[in-house]
Each structure stands twice: as structure tokens, then as C-alpha cells.
Amino acid sequence: MNYGDGSRFRVKVLNSQGNPLKKYRSCFYSINNIIIMESIEMSKSLKEILSTPIKDTTVSEIRLQVVVGLPLPLIIIYFISLFSPYFISFAFGFLVLGVYMFFIKNIENHFDLYSEEEGKKYSFEGLCVESLLIGLIAFTSFLPFYYHFNKSFGLGVSFGFLIPGILIFIRRKIFTESSRIIEGDDNLELGYHPLAYYILGIVCGFRLLSSSALLFIKYFTKGYPSLLTSIIFLIVSILYLILILSPDLMNKFIHFDLRKESSFFIYFILCNIVVEMIVIVAKFLVNFS
């Protein structure tokens, strides 16, 4: 069989007295050779895709790139899932990314994804959209995967990525470039940077939502703590995430400006200290109810 580059791969047909293992070995080598050559061709296409900014491509070009480029990772995930079926969950994440890229031009018409001052870099609003995208990809990828290994951990990771992404996207009018201020030697401060607060939301959300999931799991398996206690803890956790991801509101109650980078690091530490205290309460409810 000729693959177009002059190389040939021949599968030997065994007679009835041959070694049957050679037949399966030949099939494996055939599949492996095809995948390698397809990967080489796909890598060339991906290099062309990545070298061309999305902003400078047409709708038909982007959709063609998605249709051509998406099958490769799905095929790779399929072969990996033959050894462990849980890896098939990552295919859902690639599908979400594929849908996003397929409609990227429509999304650009509704949101200012790129910064006018910094060329093709994402604007703060674009980063808010990206936060939501990352949350959806992580949720669809990690929820089925981790759920089979550790239920509370899987739920905490999945919703820990998703809920902060949703909150930042909803409040994207707050996370804007206008929040950046000039301090000292004409240095432009961090402002209400979407990615900074998204990372804060992930770190705090993962721990809070894992603890909340653990309370519900304990209730449905052991009968304690009470369902009302579990619901209240979940509501408190979500309200806390909403509060810490509202820097414009928090700035009215604290004595330092969250738009400054140094202040944000202090805020990050304080938020995690409070989270640790809430998690200790959850552990107490689990162990002593």
C-alpha cells in the first residue's frame, strides 16, 4: 500500500501453519503507520492554522480547520480509552472547543474579544469569554473522569472550574481595562484582571465544592449530616464565591485597593484562609455528626 510519500507497508498473509500472533502484530503496525502519517500531515495543517491569527481568517476557513483538525485528538483519545475507558471523557472537552471555534466569528460579533491597543491579544472581555470556555471544557472533561475515582474530588474539580467561569462571564462589565490604574513610576496596575480572579475562584471553588459534595455523599450513603445542613453549606459556598469574585463590591469593605497587584496577593491569601476555616467546619460536620 502506497501512502503518498514513497513508503510502502505490506501486511503478510499467514497460512494456517503460521504464527497467529504475527497477524495481530501486522494489523497493529498497519494502524500505527497510518496514524503516524496522518499525524504528520495534521501537524503541518495545525502549524498553518496556528500561524494564522483567527482575527485574520474567514468563517469558511475556520470551520474547515475545525472539521479537519478535530478528528485527530478524538482518534487519539479513542485509542487511549481502549486501555482505560475513563479517558473517553476528554473527548467531550474537545467537542466543546470544536463548537466554540466553529462559531468563533459569531462570538466575535457579540463580544470584543481582542484589545485594540495590544493588537491581536485578548481584551479583558475576551478573557472573560475564555474563562467560561475553560470552565465548560474542564467540566465536560473532568466530571466523568474523576467521578469514577473520587466522587467528591471529581465534582469539586468540575464545578470548581465551571462556576467561577460563569460568574466572571456574567460580571464581565466589571472586569474591564478601565479598572486598571496608574501608580508610582507610571506603572499600569493589574486592575480587575479576569484570569487573576478566575484562578482565585478555581482554588477556592474546588475546595469549597469538594467539601459540599462530600456532605451530600455522606448524607445519601450514611444518613448524616442532615440534608438541610448540606444544602446550607452549598449555598454558603456559592455565595462566598460570588462575593470574592465581586472585587468592585469588596473594595468598599476592605482597606486596600484590589486594583493593585500587591493588594490582590493579600486578598488571595485572605480568601484562602477563610476557605480553610469553612472546610474545617465541613470536616467537623462529617466526622462528628
Side-chain angles (χ1 to χ4, degrees):
M1 186 181 297
N2 195 330
Y3 286 92
D5 61 347
S7 62
R8 295 177 178 274
F9 189 89
R10 293 173 296 176
V11 179
K12 184 179 179 180
V13 180
L14 300 176
N15 55 34
S16 59
Q17 297 179 349
N19 186 351
L21 292 177
K22 291 183 179 179
K23 177 174 65 176
Y24 298 105
R25 191 181 304 152
S26 299
C27 288
F28 173 78
Y29 289 155
S30 297
I31 295 172
N32 186 57
N33 199 21
I34 292 172
I35 293 175
I36 290 173
M37 291 190 173
E38 288 293 333
S39 301
I40 293 173
E41 292 299 322
M42 192 62 66
S43 64
K44 294 178 181 178
S45 301
L46 289 174
K47 184 177 180 181
E48 295 177 0
I49 292 172
L50 295 174
S51 62
T52 305
I54 293 176
K55 197 175 181 181
D56 299 334
T57 54
T58 63
V59 175
S60 58
E61 288 174 340
I62 293 175
R63 292 183 174 178
L64 178 62
Q65 292 166 0
V66 172
V67 172
V68 172
L70 186 60
L72 178 62
L74 296 180
I75 292 172
I76 294 174
I77 290 173
Y78 169 75
F79 280 103
I80 295 176
S81 66
L82 295 178
F83 301 95
S84 178
Y86 304 120
F87 282 95
I88 198 67
S89 63
F90 290 105
F92 297 110
F94 278 101
L95 289 174
V96 171
L97 179 60
V99 171
Y100 172 79
M101 294 301 299
F102 195 83
F103 294 102
I104 184 65
K105 286 297 183 179
N106 302 83
I107 296 173
E108 285 181 356
N109 294 332
H110 291 85
F111 305 101
D112 296 325
L113 297 184
Y114 304 103
S115 174
E116 296 180 359
E117 298 179 357
E118 301 184 25
K120 299 179 177 64
K121 291 184 178 181
Y122 276 107
S123 64
F124 273 31
E125 185 172 13
L127 292 175
C128 291
V129 175
E130 289 293 299
S131 298
L132 177 61
L133 174 65
I134 294 171
L136 290 171
I137 292 174
F139 178 79
T140 53
S141 297
F142 294 144
L143 182 59
F145 182 76
Y146 284 118
Y147 184 80
H148 292 280
F149 294 95
N150 187 311
K151 291 180 174 58
S152 61
F153 181 79
L155 291 169
V157 170
S158 303
F159 285 98
F161 274 88
L162 179 62
I163 293 178
I166 293 175
L167 293 176
I168 288 176
F169 177 77
I170 291 175
R171 303 212 67 212
R172 60 187 179 278
K173 298 301 181 183
I174 301 300
F175 299 97
T176 61
E177 285 85 349
S178 61
S179 64
R180 306 184 73 180
I181 58 175
I182 298 176
E183 287 286 330
D185 300 329
D186 295 332
N187 292 324
L188 194 60
E189 289 288 349
L190 183 68
Y192 301 145
H193 199 288
L195 286 185
Y197 283 89
Y198 184 49
I199 293 173
L200 171 65
I202 291 173
V203 173
C204 295
F206 157 66
R207 295 162 68 194
L208 288 173
L209 297 172
S210 293
S211 300
S212 181
L214 181 61
L215 292 179
F216 279 98
I217 292 170
K218 286 292 183 180
Y219 168 75
F220 287 111
T221 57
K222 304 291 185 180
Y224 64 87
S226 67
L227 180 60
L228 180 60
T229 301
S230 303
I231 293 174
I232 291 175
F233 188 89
L234 175 62
I235 293 174
V236 170
S237 299
I238 294 176
L239 288 177
Y240 181 75
L241 284 177
I242 294 174
L243 186 64
I244 65 174
L245 296 180
S246 302
D248 57 318
L249 298 178
M250 293 299 294
N251 245 346
K252 299 177 181 179
F253 301 102
I254 58 179
H255 298 291
F256 46 84
D257 194 342
L258 290 178
R259 294 174 296 178
K260 297 181 180 180
E261 185 174 344
S262 57
S263 299
F264 173 77
F265 284 117
I266 298 174
Y267 181 66
F268 190 96
I269 295 172
L270 291 176
C271 288
N272 278 277
I273 291 175
V274 175
V275 166
E276 189 61 34
M277 296 171 62
I278 298 175
V279 170
I280 291 174
V281 172
K283 291 179 179 178
F284 176 82
L285 292 173
V286 170
N287 295 324
F288 297 99
S289 295

